[in-house]
Structure formats: C-alpha cells, structure tokens
Amino acid sequence: MAKEIFDRKEVYVGRDFGGVTYDITPEFVAKYVAGTGDDNPWYRGPSPFGGPVAPALILYDAVYHSLGWYLPNIYGNLHARQEWSLFAPVMVGERLTTRAVIVDRYVKRDREYVVNEVLVSNASGQIVSRSRTHQSFLLPEQTKQGFVVDKSREKDSSRSFTIGERGGDPIESPMRKITEDMCMAFSGPVRNYHNDKQKAVELGFPEIVVQGMLSVCLVAEMMTKRFGPGFLYGGKMDLRLVNVVWGNDVTGPKGLIVERHPEGSRSRAEVEVWCDKADGTKTIVGSASALEL
C-alpha cells in the first residue's frame, strides 16, 4: 500500500529501512574507544556482568547506516535532539540486529525535522535499546549563502542555557579535547563534514563539526561510571544539541541528581545533564536517569 501512495524516495512517517546485523567484537569496541576516549576497563575485562560488556551506545552510528531518511537539501543540516532508552547490557561477543523506521517529521522555526527510531535486539530477540534521532534541515526558502552556523553564534545571548542550578548531588566528569584523530575514528573512514574541514565548508560550516552523537556518548559514559548496571539496565536520556562542538574543542559532560523516586522495589535517579566547552558554552542540555542498584 505504501508503495502506491508514496514515491520510493519519499521521506515519510512509517518508512522502514530494514535491519543490519553487527558482531560486537573487541575490535568493534576498540574503534568506539578511539573515537570517544571512553576507555572503561569493563569493556575489555571483568565487569559486574561477568566478562567484558560493550559501551552503552556501542551502536551510536547505526541510525546513519542508510541516509535515505535525510531530506534532499543537506546543506547546513544538524543533529538537533537525541533520545535513548536502554533495556539490557550488551556483552562483547554478542550479535546485534537493528531495525530503523521514520517515526516523525515536523517543522519548527526555520527548520524541518525528521526523526528516525532504531530498535536494537540481540540474538535471542530481546530488545536491548531504542533510540530516536532528530535531524534538522533548512527549509527550502531558508537556503543561505556562506556559513549557516559560525563560531560567533554560540556567544549570542539566545544560545545561553540555564541548567544545573538546582540543589542536588553533582556528577563530575573530566573535560576532553576532541582531536581530529578522534573525529576520524568516530565518524570515518569516509571523509565528511564531521572529520574534514573542507567537507565542512562545503556544507556551510567554518570548521569540522564534531558529530553530535559523540557528545551524547560522553553523557552515556558519565552515567555508566556513576550508576553502572543501573544505567545499562533501564537508563534513559533525552538530550538537545544546542551549540556546535568544533574540531579540537575541549568539552565534557556534567550532571546533577535532582530527584529520586521509587520504581518497583528500587529507586530511579533523575539527572539534569549538560556538556560544557572549556569556555562554559553549553553544547548539550537535557535529562537522563538510571536505577540505583
């Protein structure tokens, strides 16, 4: 029926992009570590689950396996929001299968957004995670000349965000320089605007645009270190990417536990989370939660 209503290239809610199978090998994990700097010893040795466990967002780029869900005008496109729910840990050596489908498309201010949901299941068919990636595209009438976003934008008062000022228990995490080698490991090997300055300029940006998912992974790293199994079982994130991280920027996540409430026989910690640059510019703001085990 869909083929009769929609053109085969149309980006419509309900379009299914099928599945891809991934083997979570030590080499696969090593690539993740090289791209993020998240070198948790659980990934290569004993963990609370027995043997090595994979990073929570080991399939961070599965949503980009096919870009058929992107709108035609990719000039100035940006990752705008990321939702993630974790249901079970993934052990190194497991085989995972994804399924991707467009679940929403909407217009907000001068951009149009497409939302791609990815379900990940293990060999037994258990769903281990669900993510929703909101990608934004300039409307046709908003097509611009020159840079769509430059470094001065983040200094505008409209790009200032208040978060982390409530009372609560802080979660600290070290800052990290996002090198060009990390960008290539995380977003390569094909050259694109996430790892190559010239490609970035071609799409309307003055410097390498660090893939937004990398900062999302840094938040997941912080939550894993703080909550351990309580994040890998039942962790949640809802993050808005509000300013660009450029190549060679220094950035890092922070959190503040602002509430705890019962969930069955356990307690769930609700956390305000954000990422700062070295100069205090916020690049991600949002919320996350985990069980306290």
Side-chain angles (χ1 to χ4, degrees), residues 28-226:
F28 200 94
V29 174
K31 178 180 180 296
Y32 181 96
V33 172
T36 63
D38 175 10
D39 194 15
N40 193 316
W42 289 0
Y43 303 157
R44 60 182 182 278
S47 76
F49 312 100
V53 65
L57 306 192
I58 186 64
L59 292 188
Y60 67 88
D61 60 351
V63 68
Y64 302 118
H65 178 79
S66 167
L67 296 183
W69 60 285
Y70 272 31
L71 298 182
N73 179 23
I74 62 171
Y75 187 84
N77 80 90
L78 287 169
H79 187 172
R81 180 182 174 188
Q82 186 65 49
E83 301 171 82
W84 220 293
S85 296
L86 303 169
F87 304 120
V90 172
M91 305 304 294
V92 177
E94 282 199 79
R95 174 168 288 183
L96 302 179
T97 300
T98 66
R99 191 81 186 197
V101 62
I102 296 173
V103 296
D104 202 2
R105 180 173 171 174
Y106 59 93
V107 174
K108 187 176 179 181
R109 291 190 288 275
D110 63 346
R111 286 181 171 264
E112 186 163 12
Y113 297 74
V114 180
V115 185
N116 191 332
E117 178 176 277
V118 177
L119 292 175
V120 180
S121 57
N122 60 23
S124 68
Q126 178 186 12
I127 295 175
V128 298
S129 68
R130 180 185 66 216
S131 64
R132 288 188 170 188
T133 302
H134 300 238
Q135 197 77 15
S136 74
F137 304 85
L138 288 173
L139 294 169
E141 61 270 23
Q142 294 292 332
T143 299
K144 301 176 180 179
Q145 300 296 320
F147 295 139
V148 175
V149 175
D150 62 22
K151 293 186 176 182
S152 66
R153 186 186 77 151
E154 63 199 46
K155 304 303 181 184
D156 190 282
S157 60
S158 66
R159 311 304 302 175
S160 177
F161 300 87
T162 300
I163 191 170
E165 297 183 357
R166 299 164 59 184
D169 299 333
I171 306 174
E172 296 293 335
S173 191
M175 304 288 278
R176 188 169 296 158
K177 183 176 181 179
I178 310 302
T179 66
E180 292 183 24
D181 285 344
M182 290 173 66
C183 291
M184 182 58 72
F186 193 82
S187 305
V190 176
R191 292 195 173 274
N192 56 69
Y193 75 124
H194 295 311
N195 56 38
D196 183 276
K197 180 175 179 178
Q198 183 55 43
K199 296 293 185 181
V201 170
E202 290 172 5
L203 287 184
F205 304 98
E207 299 285 349
I208 289 172
V209 176
V210 176
Q211 189 173 335
M213 204 68 84
L214 199 158
S215 294
V216 174
C217 289
L218 297 184
V219 174
E221 174 189 359
M222 178 185 71
M223 293 292 290
T224 300
K225 286 181 177 178
R226 174 61 178 81

